[in-house]
Amino acid sequence: MYGRSERESTGPSAVKIVISGGFGVGKTTFIGAISEIEPLTTEASMTDRSVGIDDASLLTQKTTTTVALDFGRITLDSSLILYLFGTPGQERFDFLWDDLATGALGSVIIADTRRIEDCYPVLDYFEDKSTPFIVAVNDFDGADRFELGEVREALGVDEAVPVVHCDARSRESVKGVLVALIEQVLLQRVA
């Protein structure tokens, strides 16, 4: 093994990132926009049983929902792979979050300003876990646009936590969000 670094001889390092947020905020779309593999999704058709439980009133074209997790992968180079795990958005699947979040380097919390209150339990969860995170405001077509400072204030998020705009359908936008998360993680590790 002359000339090879220790990392090359042991294989790439894997880093886990959690993509989270409320019901229908764009977690599956976010992972699908950036994953180099066909994302693993656990989508199930929404049925009449979800009426009164899942508020889909603003999501008229949503016909499926994540019932366990989403998974995607990004190879940054021969030494580093990002694994993206998306949490289910409905409260009844919260019991899966601990397994998905264990060992995560950080989290992207996706916010929908049409239903900002759906972010509160997600923020509380990652704050309680002391997991580094950023907030990505998914800019839905037709939704009102707010200044990021207004979103920060509505969420009660500390100034040290980045709040960024995002289009979960755009690979470049998602890449920018992930770069912002990695920068946040590095800042917290240095501090």
Side-chain angles (χ1 to χ4, degrees):
M1 297 230 173
Y2 296 103
R4 293 179 75 191
S5 72
E6 184 177 320
R7 183 170 304 247
E8 289 173 327
S9 66
T10 60
S13 294
V15 175
K16 181 182 195 180
I17 294 176
V18 176
I19 312 303
S20 197
F23 171 69
V25 298
K27 299 175 295 290
T28 302
T29 302
F30 183 99
I31 291 171
I34 194 86
S35 180
E36 68 192 21
I37 63 170
E38 183 69 30
L40 167 69
T41 62
T42 57
E43 294 283 298
S45 294
M46 293 177 58
T47 66
D48 291 341
R49 291 183 183 205
S50 69
V51 173
I53 298 172
D54 300 325
D55 181 8
S57 60
L58 296 172
L59 312 168
T60 56
Q61 296 181 343
K62 186 166 180 64
T63 60
T64 63
T65 189
T66 301
V67 295
L69 68 117
D70 295 316
F71 174 79
R73 182 184 76 206
I74 307 166
T75 302
L76 297 181
D77 62 28
S78 62
S79 66
L80 186 59
I81 298 173
L82 298 181
Y83 290 120
L84 306 177
F85 288 84
T87 63
Q90 305 92 329
E91 191 175 314
R92 64 186 177 277
F93 298 120
D94 285 358
F95 65 92
L96 296 167
W97 283 31
D98 284 340
D99 288 336
L100 294 173
T102 298
L105 182 70
S107 179
V108 173
I109 299 173
I110 302 178
D112 179 350
T113 57
R114 300 171 299 176
R115 297 173 293 126
I116 201 74
E117 66 280 354
D118 292 353
C119 262
Y120 300 139
V122 183
L123 290 166
D124 289 345
Y125 178 85
F126 287 102
E127 285 174 347
D128 289 347
K129 294 281 184 191
S130 299
T131 302
F133 66 87
I134 68 168
V135 176
V137 179
N138 196 1
D139 294 326
F140 284 92
D141 292 337
D144 291 336
R145 299 285 193 264
F146 296 93
E147 295 293 322
L148 294 176
E150 291 177 283
V151 175
R152 175 186 304 287
E153 186 176 328
L155 293 174
V157 175
D158 188 89
E159 286 290 327
V161 175
V163 177
V164 299
H165 282 288
C166 175
D167 180 343
R169 302 166 297 186
S170 164
R171 181 176 181 81
E172 286 303 309
S173 182
V174 169
K175 186 187 327 180
V177 171
L178 292 173
V179 167
L181 174 64
I182 299 300
E183 289 172 350
Q184 177 69 2
V185 169
L186 291 173
L187 279 174
Q188 287 190 10
R189 297 235 169 160
V190 172

